[in-house]
Amino acid sequence: MKTVPETFGSLVFGDRVMKSMLSAEVYASLKKTIDEGASLDIGVANAVAAAMKDWAVSKGATHFTHWFQPLTGITAEKHDSFISPSPDGGIIMEFSGKELIQGEPDASSFPSGGLRATFEARGYTAWDPTSYAFIKGKTLCIPTAFCSYGGHALDKKTPLLRSMEALNKQALRVLRLFGNTTAKCVRSYVGPEQEYFLISKEMYDARPDLRFTGRTLFGAKPPKGQEMDDHYFGAIKPRVAAFMDELNEELWKLGIMAKTEHNEVAPAQHELAPIYTTTNVSTDHNQLTMEIMQKIASKHGLVCLLHEKPFAGVNGSGKHNNWSVATDEGQNLLSPGETPYENAQFLLFLCAVIKAVDDYQDLLRISVATAGNDHRLGANEAPPAVISIFLGDELSAILEAIEKDEPYEGTKKTVMKLGVHVLPKFNRDTTDRNRTSPFAFTGNKFEFRMLGSSNSIAGANIIINAAVAESLKIYADRLEGAGDFETELHEMIKQTISDHKRIIFNGNGYDDAWIKEATEVRGLLNYRTTADCLPHILDRKNVEMLTAHKVFTVEEIESRCEIMLENYCKTVVIEANTMVDMAKTQIAPAVSAFAASLAGRAKVKKELDPSLYCSYEIDLVRTLSKLTDLIALRVDELQNALIVLHEAEDTEAESVMIRDIVLPAMCELRVACDEAETLTDKDFWPLPTYAEILFSVR
Ligand code: ADP
Ligand code: MG
């Protein structure tokens, strides 16, 4: 049996393998490309490709693929074998630098949101040397970006890499002003905590709603849910433990540092957190993690649900995006440091994030907007749809003292001057951490908690990187032109605090009073649904910021908006159709059959003894008959709502109709069916119940 250090990263063409398999010159040249974005010449690419192929073949690989992340939500791959005919009639295993650098998948079957109409149908994939190649099954997977021949991004990686470059550029400008002449690059880092449900495959197979939509569209509240709080951090059940063991092993082989695993609040809910790494690699790793979770679950007779809200009334699943910025020399720019200069630099980066989150609340909300996540944001376990920042009382008090030029008690009653005084040590204890805040500062990083469990983390990080780059650009512009650096710095920090303190909130984000204060007093945005927020991606200030930093072109923003709206509409329409089908062919017939059986039993009893009331049976028959009539009515209403959708002029209008007509009709149908479930004999009920599903894995 091999130890973890022996198998860790064994399926990754990582730094260690590169060093041992490439010549010193080729390695140095590749390293320069990885670290500094230098362009790669074909000679080097050929040498890397040959080494990659030899390594992959030695691990049993026969094929290679350009692995990419189209706008469908999952990853895509098309396998080509290494096999090439040789002159003597045999075969050789070949892989050229050209094949490594560029591929040409047929772009026409991937969503392009209108880009295809104006540009070419063809697209190409381009190697991303900053994310290591790896082996999955018998295939060497090469992480790539995916673009149209017109140069438009058709994927999630391209804008993510662009946003990292924008942040790098502006952060370096600021660092130079602080006298840092040695840092070569600044990157953002992310550690995403992934929540998921594990249920038994048998239960899953018996529920068309889970199979078609990933969530239960019906289901009465079980007698026991999460109210006892006895699942969180509880002992992990043997079947789940076996799943986690195998999952860890597979992730480790791929160099994914899965670190913590525990039960979550809801029954059958769990969490996995890896150790943080660069945002780009972390995004690739999170996509792989989600894929491998589902694969390993099925080997164990389980199904891994990544939907944001698989069960009504039970906590949904999110993803916590822990984000920081650091230099290639290892300095975390969100860490307060020790000296007055480090403190001042920290405060400026902190302010850059505060300003970014306030100025681009809408984009952050949009970056996590899906039909699934709408069920979670604003429900009582997730952060609300209103975005705010938690800083903790001490850091907030320091900022307030700076804003007002007042003494802060930790500074021995002196008025703080940035760049001169040392910041008081503030409490970085995590015990009093606010868990309800959508965007929380946790000592040396920010935790953005609005992501849904199935979201790619690319979307949110594109926006965080770009918006922070924008704040830093404004700061750098001012500081570069300033007469006295320290005075200007002090003024700028003061101004940021006074302009953006409305976004800082240290209280309970679930509280209704907060939502009222946030929206009515502070003027913060509250986009409750995807239909509400998505069109705002096209607001002028957003388009200007994203295009100025070359993260997106105008056409790319328009196309993404269209694709996201379309996804929202399609998702809900599939759910509605599934509900109609289940209500008509499973639920109504079951309730009716049970009522008929009751009526039959009443009849038999009455024949036996006409003086019997049989009120249990007869009353229930009446109630159930009324309910089946109501179900039939609600089905009609929902079907009519779906028909009305055809009148929508465009996708935006359709999304509004979905929000206002279809989703409410789905709720009404569900209420009637869930009521029927509570009255129907279990032997007649055609679906596994919530209690059966949630407590199915032991
Ligand atoms: P929790 O939030 O459960 O208390 P931690 O704060 O230890 O757990 O870490 C949660 C996640 O944050 C992990 O994935 C961890 O690797 C990541 N993380 C820790 N430090 C940083 C950092 N400087 N930048 C980005 N992510 C980080
Ligand atoms: Mg956390």
Side-chain angles (χ1 to χ4, degrees):
M1 182 98 173
K2 288 197 171 162
T3 64
V4 175
E6 279 167 348
T7 56
F8 186 83
S10 60
L11 297 179
V12 184
F13 191 70
D15 200 54
R16 232 193 278 168
V17 190
M18 287 184 194
K19 220 177 207 157
S20 71
M21 294 190 72
L22 299 170
S23 72
E25 301 88 80
V26 170
Y27 175 78
S29 170
L30 179 61
K31 209 57 188 139
K32 215 168 154 55
T33 302
I34 294 173
D35 292 342
E36 296 162 44
S39 64
L40 198 71
D41 75 53
I42 189 72
V44 173
N46 278 329
V48 176
M52 228 186 231
K53 184 252 319 176
D54 288 344
W55 169 81
V57 169
S58 79
K59 300 267 176 189
T62 53
H63 287 68
F64 70 92
T65 182
H66 274 198
W67 184 78
F68 60 101
Q69 297 165 38
L71 299 168
T72 50
I74 50 167
T75 56
E77 43 197 79
K78 178 184 141 230
H79 300 179
D80 281 303
S81 77
F82 290 122
I83 291 176
S84 209
S86 66
D88 62 1
I91 54 134
I92 47 168
M93 302 293 257
E94 257 185 355
F95 185 48
S96 68
K98 196 163 156 279
E99 286 172 302
L100 167 64
I101 291 176
Q102 190 161 325
E104 291 193 37
D106 179 6
S108 60
S109 326
F110 294 105
S112 79
L115 282 179
R116 224 173 18 245
T118 25
F119 300 93
E120 281 191 82
R122 287 186 314 152
Y124 68 91
T125 47
W127 179 35
D128 165 21
T130 63
S131 182
Y132 297 132
F134 56 91
I135 293 173
K136 213 170 64 179
K138 288 185 174 301
T139 305
L140 168 69
C141 297
I142 299 149
T144 56
F146 179 41
C147 293
S148 78
Y149 267 93
H152 289 281
L154 295 172
D155 69 344
K156 296 175 179 157
K157 187 187 273 280
T158 307
L160 181 66
L161 291 171
R162 292 177 187 158
S163 74
M164 289 178 74
E165 184 43 41
L167 182 67
N168 174 44
K169 188 171 156 191
Q170 303 304 335
L172 278 179
R173 280 179 72 196
V174 170
L175 288 184
R176 298 290 181 252
L177 288 163
F178 276 91
N180 180 331
T181 53
T182 49
K184 286 206 199 66
C185 108
V186 171
R187 294 196 194 92
S188 61
Y189 287 80
V190 169
E193 300 164 62
Q194 175 73 50
E195 290 180 341
Y196 60 96
F197 279 86
L198 272 187
I199 63 169
S200 93
K201 174 131 184 3
E202 269 171 279
M203 301 287 162
Y204 176 84
D205 285 341
R207 298 273 321 205
D209 45 4
L210 282 176
R211 281 190 287 126
F212 298 143
T213 73
R215 75 176 178 111
T216 54
L217 300 166
F218 301 102
K221 212 172 142 21
K224 178 178 188 247
Q226 62 192 53
E227 44 284 279
M228 303 290 285
D229 283 330
D230 52 359
H231 187 66
Y232 191 52
F233 277 34
I236 297 172
K237 301 191 178 91
R239 251 179 106 184
V240 176
F243 158 85
M244 285 177 173
D245 281 349
E246 192 173 342
L247 176 63
N248 282 338
E249 216 169 288
E250 290 304 309
L251 294 177
W252 289 337
K253 282 189 212 159
L254 288 167
I256 300 174
M257 290 187 265
K259 170 104 173 135
T260 5
E261 52 194 19
H262 59 76
N263 289 347
E264 263 302 328
V265 177
Q269 193 183 33
H270 313 279
E271 181 187 289
L272 178 142
I275 293 175
Y276 69 99
T277 175
T278 62
T279 308
N280 178 33
V281 171
S282 188
T283 303
D284 288 356
H285 282 178
N286 185 246
Q287 289 301 123
L288 274 174
T289 301
M290 292 195 284
E291 183 184 322
I292 293 168
M293 275 178 167
Q294 285 168 312
K295 199 177 87 188
I296 307 287
S298 95
K299 280 177 72 179
H300 289 252
L302 302 167
V303 175
C304 169
L305 300 177
L306 290 170
H307 194 283
E308 283 73 24
K309 196 74 182 174
F311 306 99
V314 174
N315 275 4
S317 300
K319 190 137 55 187
H320 291 176
N321 190 82
N322 294 274
W323 180 94
S324 66
V325 220
T327 66
D328 57 328
E329 298 170 317
Q331 186 187 16
N332 179 350
L333 303 174
L334 291 175
S335 176
E338 308 287 339
T339 66
Y341 247 60
E342 282 171 341
N343 289 171
Q345 184 181 297
F346 157 73
L347 283 174
L348 190 65
F349 277 91
L350 184 79
C351 282
V353 179
I354 294 171
K355 176 172 164 54
V357 173
D358 189 26
D359 286 341
Y360 300 99
Q361 295 163 48
D362 45 0
L363 285 180
L364 287 169
R365 170 69 182 89
I366 289 165
S367 76
V368 298
T370 58
N373 214 15
D374 281 356
H375 296 290
R376 185 176 153 263
L377 299 176
N380 75 357
E381 86 276 6
V386 176
I387 296 183
S388 63
I389 295 183
F390 168 85
L391 289 181
D393 293 336
E394 283 175 283
L395 190 51
S396 298
I398 293 170
L399 294 189
E400 202 184 318
I402 294 172
E403 185 205 349
K404 303 201 170 117
D405 277 330
E406 278 171 1
Y408 175 73
E409 51 180 272
T411 55
K412 301 192 191 77
K413 304 278 181 206
T414 46
V415 176
M416 280 232 324
K417 186 153 174 10
L418 291 172
V420 177
H421 292 116
V422 179
L423 273 187
K425 282 260 171 300
F426 54 88
N427 186 10
R428 269 192 267 162
D429 183 3
T430 50
T431 48
D432 67 344
R433 276 207 351 222
N434 183 315
R435 298 233 160 237
T436 66
S437 175
F439 212 103
F441 183 67
T442 49
N444 61 1
K445 62 183 193 289
F446 277 97
E447 185 166 341
F448 183 34
R449 304 198 176 112
M450 286 173 88
L451 288 80
S453 47
S454 70
N455 285 160
S456 158
I457 64 169
N461 288 296
I462 290 168
I463 300 302
I464 301 174
N465 291 340
V468 173
E470 171 69 10
S471 303
L472 293 173
K473 176 181 179 296
I474 293 169
Y475 293 163
D477 286 349
R478 263 182 76 171
L479 287 172
E480 282 169 2
D484 180 54
F485 176 77
E486 264 141 45
T487 312
E488 188 71 11
L489 178 69
H490 196 97
E491 279 313 305
M492 252 171 33
I493 288 179
K494 269 175 67 171
Q495 191 191 334
T496 303
I497 299 164
S498 109
D499 291 350
H500 300 286
K501 63 184 173 197
R502 64 170 187 164
I503 198 82
I504 298 167
F505 175 64
N506 295 322
N508 180 1
Y510 300 167
D511 200 343
D512 288 339
W514 159 240
I515 304 298
K516 208 168 138 60
E517 180 191 328
T519 53
E520 292 172 18
V521 182
R522 303 194 185 202
L524 299 178
L525 296 170
N526 184 14
Y527 292 133
R528 293 193 51 84
T529 71
T530 298
D532 296 326
C533 68
L534 271 183
H536 291 285
I537 195 173
L538 296 169
D539 287 358
R540 207 170 131 192
K541 74 165 178 62
N542 295 335
V543 174
E544 277 177 3
M545 186 276 280
L546 291 167
T547 54
H549 291 278
K550 300 196 165 43
V551 172
F552 288 116
T553 63
V554 177
E555 293 85 352
E556 285 169 354
I557 300 174
E558 285 167 350
S559 77
R560 266 151 223 258
C561 180
E562 179 67 18
I563 291 169
M564 289 187 288
L565 281 170
E566 241 174 58
N567 276 343
Y568 173 73
C569 296
K570 281 185 193 160
T571 304
V572 181
V573 168
I574 292 170
E575 288 179 351
N577 283 326
T578 305
M579 283 189 96
V580 166
D581 191 61
M582 288 172 74
K584 275 179 160 176
T585 66
Q586 292 188 285
I587 296 174
V591 182
S592 170
F594 176 49
S597 141
L598 279 172
R601 280 182 248 164
K603 190 163 168 246
V604 171
K605 283 186 179 175
K606 285 240 182 216
E607 275 167 10
L608 205 68
D609 179 352
S611 75
L612 290 173
Y613 290 121
C614 297
S615 57
Y616 162 70
E617 288 86 355
I618 291 166
D619 289 350
L620 197 48
V621 168
R622 278 204 190 94
T623 309
L624 290 172
S625 296
K626 280 187 200 147
L627 268 175
T628 36
D629 292 348
L630 185 64
I631 291 171
L633 175 73
R634 297 300 189 219
V635 166
D636 274 351
E637 286 168 354
L638 180 53
Q639 282 183 305
N640 286 336
L642 289 168
I643 290 167
V644 175
L645 278 188
H646 297 304
E647 291 165 18
E649 281 164 22
D650 56 20
T651 325
E652 189 180 332
E654 187 182 343
S655 72
V656 170
M657 287 162 112
I658 296 241
R659 178 193 67 196
D660 295 342
I661 309 172
V662 178
L663 282 165
M666 285 165 63
C667 278
E668 294 289 339
L669 174 58
R670 178 172 185 152
V671 169
C673 291
D674 289 357
E675 163 94 46
E677 184 187 327
T678 65
L679 299 171
T680 302
D681 181 341
K682 280 197 168 49
D683 291 341
F684 282 79
W685 195 252
L687 304 164
T689 63
Y690 267 28
E692 286 166 333
I693 303 170
L694 287 168
F695 298 93
S696 65
V697 181
R698 256 165 278 277

